[in-house]
Amino acid sequence: MARIKEVRDERNPGEELTVNGWVRTRRDSKQGFAFIELNDGSCLGNLQIVVDQETKGFAESTKEITTGAALTITGTLKESPGKGQRVELHASELKVLGTADPETFPLQKKRHSFEYLREIAHLRPRSNTFSAIARVRNAASAAIHNFFQERHFLYVHTPIITTSDCEGAGQMFRVTTLDLARLAGIQTEIDYSQDFFGKAASLTVSGQLEAEIYATSTGPCYTFGPTFRAENSNTTRHLAEFWMVEPEIPFFDLNDNMQLAQDFIKHVISHVLETCAEDMEFFNQRIEKTVLETLQHIVDHDFERVSYTDAIEILTSSKKEWEFPVEWGHDLQSEHERFLTEEHFKKPIILFDYPRTIKPFYMRCNDDGKTVRAMDVLVPRIGEIIGGSQREERLDVLEARMKECDLDPEEYWWYLDLRRYGTVPHAGFGLGFERLIQLLTGMQNIRDCIPFPRTPKNAEF
RNA sequence: UCCCCUGUAGCUCAGCUGGUAGAGCAAGCGGCUGUUAACCGCUGGGUCGUAGGUUCGAGUCCUACCGGGGGAGCCA
């Protein structure tokens, strides 16, 4: 048995082989033969199968060879006289493994809207676009591990269920075994001591705090796993369940962190461009005609590093009309970020040293008393793809910051212990994996960049 | 959560200022062809998102709800 990618790329005319796959389309000749385009998901291209009356099993199953049907075919590979393919398989034997009634099969041999395909998420990976996304997603995952493994980072599995109630990164999904229907009737304060973990538990919004534990024990490390945010976000770049990559490195400052983030993104892009050439060509032609150019440009240039304060200066001195005013101390709006990365610098930028009032407690305070060592990587079209910082390693400063943010240091006793015993400067960041896939593929909507998207009011499949 | 747009055949859409529905593609059948987003002809297919309302009459106007999309906020 051979996979179609292998047949198309490596096998030679004359070889006898068997392939399995699904029919994409079929072109008939009444003279008794037909062309079947077979795809098995191993690559974008189909294998052209030539069947005729000599093909065992063809005559009796002609009606069943429709778009979507699963076939197994044995035959001889031949050089193709037609245009569009190097080789084609002349079938000696054909068997229909599974039929697909053309009257009801939802995928037709025509273009479908992404919205429609989202409603049939169980079948959409059988389409060109979604199988290509799946392969790019796979290649990007491999590139992420390569990048860190080559640098001897430890892959750490941080917990999915957490009881540290306020990690600070937004609304959390509650995890419970309590009988909610019954509790709703009683209407008293919920007693979490009766719950599975003996206290309130939630799905993680970040593995950062736990990653810091390993960074300050076993050295540079990274997490790569699912993350959950219960925010009621309805945009093309937010998911309730998404995958995040979070490296954490001891003896690192913000500059080291910015360099790592840049090297990391460039590495993943380069790897995908190399290993998914056919899929990337498809995205460039059919999805977004500037992806290849954009990605190459990112690989070839350094990211622009701009302090928050300088960014404010650039924005106020540009003669743009802003819907939201630009003012030091306020977070930048989408329109501001887009202007900086898409119009002003026209490449990825790293904004750093944000006002402390708009950033979380764990970011290291600068000596100016106003800013923290935060960084955001913004890329054209997507916006923020990475958020990170140098962490506050000074116990007294960290405690003071927690109180400033209305957090109870007691709750974070173990996090503070890392500063109490052998504290070191360290830094890290979080990369939204699906946003990276958006950047790589040119897909507009993040819901098409994950196999089974979870968004408000949607968790089908 | 807020703002805007949208919901008509399997899919993508048209249907102007209200008079009970149409195209392309898909599908079925037939023809043609070493074809390749194949091509040509014929045929079938819709209680116009749901519930109310205005009107002699509503796909078309109004209200509510539900679904989808885009933008904003939250962030990755």
Side-chain angles (χ1 to χ4, degrees), chain A residues 183 186-192:
Chain A
L183 288 174
I186 302 171
Q187 286 199 340
T188 51
E189 192 96 332
I190 293 172
D191 178 10
Y192 286 107

Side-chain angles (χ1 to χ4, degrees), chain A residues 1-3 7 11 16-20 72-75 89 93:
Chain A
M1 191 192 100
R3 299 212 64 193
V7 176
R11 296 304 189 95
E16 179 96 3
L17 45 87
T18 299
V19 293
N20 300 298
T72 180
I73 294 164
T74 299
L89 186 67
E93 188 171 355

Side-chain angles (χ1 to χ4, degrees), chain A residues 6 10-17 75-78 88-89:
Chain A
E6 182 195 337
E10 298 160 24
R11 296 304 189 95
N12 296 311
E15 290 190 55
E16 179 96 3
L17 45 87
T76 309
L77 206 60
K78 293 194 176 166
E88 61 190 23
L89 186 67

Side-chain angles (χ1 to χ4, degrees), chain A residues 268-332:
Chain A
V268 177
I269 292 177
S270 301
H271 183 267
V272 168
L273 287 175
E274 250 171 62
T275 57
C276 301
E278 185 189 23
D279 292 319
M280 290 309 300
E281 191 56 45
F282 171 82
F283 289 121
N284 201 56
Q285 275 173 22
R286 296 296 185 87
I287 305 295
E288 164 63 57
K289 59 186 187 307
T290 60
V291 257
L292 286 179
E293 187 191 325
T294 303
L295 294 175
Q296 197 56 53
H297 189 263
I298 291 174
V299 169
D300 292 342
H301 296 81
D302 282 337
F303 296 5
E304 193 74 34
R305 299 185 191 184
V306 193
S307 75
Y308 169 88
T309 304
D310 288 347
I312 294 292
E313 178 57 32
I314 293 169
L315 291 168
T316 43
S317 58
S318 87
K319 284 162 197 114
K320 274 270 195 187
E321 288 274 319
W322 304 112
E323 188 185 343
F324 298 93
V326 178
E327 197 182 336
W328 201 97
H330 288 79
D331 216 347
L332 297 181

Side-chain angles (χ1 to χ4, degrees), chain A residues 17-36:
Chain A
L17 45 87
T18 299
V19 293
N20 300 298
W22 292 269
V23 176
R24 279 299 171 72
T25 180
R26 162 184 156 190
R27 293 177 293 273
D28 275 348
S29 163
K30 283 298 167 204
Q31 309 294 359
F33 65 101
F35 299 95
I36 299 169

Side-chain angles (χ1 to χ4, degrees), chain A residues 107-141:
Chain A
L107 282 173
Q108 304 169 348
K109 53 177 204 179
K110 62 174 289 242
R111 286 195 76 148
H112 291 291
S113 68
F114 296 132
E115 291 80 11
Y116 172 68
L117 289 168
R118 228 171 273 150
E119 290 169 10
I120 50 166
H122 60 308
L123 295 171
R124 68 178 183 170
R126 296 192 194 180
S127 68
N128 286 337
T129 303
F130 286 90
S131 68
I133 293 167
R135 286 184 296 271
V136 165
R137 211 182 141 96
N138 171 69
S141 301

